[in-house]
Amino acid sequence: AQSVTQLDSHVSVSEGTPVLLRCNYSSSYSPSLFWYVQHPNKGLQLLLKYTSAATLVKGINGFEAEFKKSETSFHLTKPSAHMSDAAEYFCVVSVSPAGFQKLVFGTGTRLLVSP
Amino acid sequence: TAGITQAPTSQILAAGRSMTLRCTQDMRHNAMYWYRQDLGLGLRLIHYSNTAGTTGKGEVPDGYSVSRANTDDFPLTLASAVPSQTSVYFCASSDAPIAGSSYNEQFFGPGTRLTVL
């Protein structure tokens, strides 16, 4: 079975300070891992994905994530937060067990950025 | 390029009524998906379709049906709506998964906010 745990429901940072959104996963298969972002009243947009090519993955808007198999973690980071980063972030495990792609979503982390 | 369009944007529906949520994509993706998003639960898969003419059940399929008559359209039907189906519904599409691979990006529409009273 696959599952995703996002360790914080809310994270608050000041503009210009680092961002850390934590994610742990469990999967019976060799998973792909994604981070999606959802701005208010919008659909989801892919930030980055891990597909076993490299453990440190760089995404859009300065975000990156590191896959650590020993810790079953895929934490999302950004060196310096911007006001426009305020949104909901979802960590996602993707597997293909029976001929279709199954995405298992975490419950989300809301990032709040203050001036 | 429009990507994925969904209609309506929002709807209030009386319990017991039927409704079809529409989804159209212009990316020629073979695979399409319907999710519902509920507070504190993330997104959950309702139904999926790997190619035109085929559909499959996801995690929470009860009370919903889908059809896939062509590549572009993937409507979701609620035959007799109940209040627990109040949610935000997202349609998504991707290249068809190759057996054993799981890395395709799914592209999401803007969502339909449905309230069942």
Side-chain angles (χ1 to χ4, degrees):
Chain A
Q2 299 79 39
S3 66
V4 177
T5 302
Q6 292 185 242
L7 297 164
D8 306 292
S9 59
H10 293 81
V11 170
S12 295
V13 301
S14 299
E15 190 175 22
T17 64
V19 176
L20 170 63
L21 305 184
R22 298 181 295 165
C23 172
N24 287 100
Y25 72 92
S26 170
S27 176
S28 306
Y29 305 91
S30 178
S32 295
L33 294 161
F34 299 77
W35 276 97
Y36 277 87
V37 61
Q38 184 181 28
H39 287 92
N41 299 312
K42 299 289 187 183
L44 282 79
Q45 180 186 18
L46 182 69
L47 271 181
L48 50 80
K49 65 179 179 181
Y50 165 77
T51 60
S52 77
T55 57
L56 183 62
V57 182
K58 294 188 183 297
I60 62 173
N61 300 334
F63 285 94
E64 63 181 38
E66 185 172 9
F67 174 73
K68 293 186 176 181
K69 186 175 182 178
S70 61
E71 299 177 9
T72 60
S73 69
F74 191 55
H75 301 333
L76 182 70
T77 60
K78 183 173 180 178
S80 177
H82 192 274
M83 295 296 292
S84 61
D85 295 328
E88 187 97 19
Y89 292 80
F90 293 96
C91 183
V92 182
V93 170
S94 175
V95 293
S96 186
F100 74 98
Q101 183 185 19
K102 177 179 178 180
L103 295 188
V104 178
F105 283 78
T107 53
T109 298
R110 183 166 298 278
L111 177 64
L112 305 171
V113 183
S114 57
Chain B
T1 302
I4 297 181
T5 58
Q6 292 185 237
T9 301
S10 64
Q11 182 74 46
I12 298 174
L13 187 67
R17 301 296 294 266
S18 66
M19 176 163 188
T20 295
L21 308 184
R22 299 185 298 278
C23 174
T24 300
Q25 55 106 355
D26 63 2
M27 296 176 282
R28 307 305 293 172
H29 285 158
N30 282 324
M32 297 187 74
Y33 313 83
W34 273 106
Y35 295 88
R36 58 177 291 172
Q37 182 179 28
D38 301 292
L39 195 62
L41 295 177
L43 277 74
R44 294 178 292 168
L45 181 66
I46 304 171
H47 286 287
Y48 68 92
S49 168
N50 274 350
T51 188
T54 69
T55 63
K57 294 182 179 180
E59 186 182 358
V60 287
D62 294 342
Y64 306 95
S65 64
V66 291
S67 61
R68 187 86 184 278
N70 56 60
T71 297
D72 299 341
D73 301 299
F74 191 42
L76 176 74
T77 298
L78 289 68
S80 179
V82 295
S84 62
Q85 292 178 308
T86 294
S87 187
V88 181
Y89 291 86
F90 288 98
C91 180
S93 71
S94 71
D95 289 325
I98 301 169
S101 75
S102 59
Y103 50 78
N104 289 334
E105 175 185 356
Q106 290 190 11
F107 295 82
F108 286 80
T112 293
R113 184 174 296 275
L114 178 66
T115 303
V116 182
L117 300 175

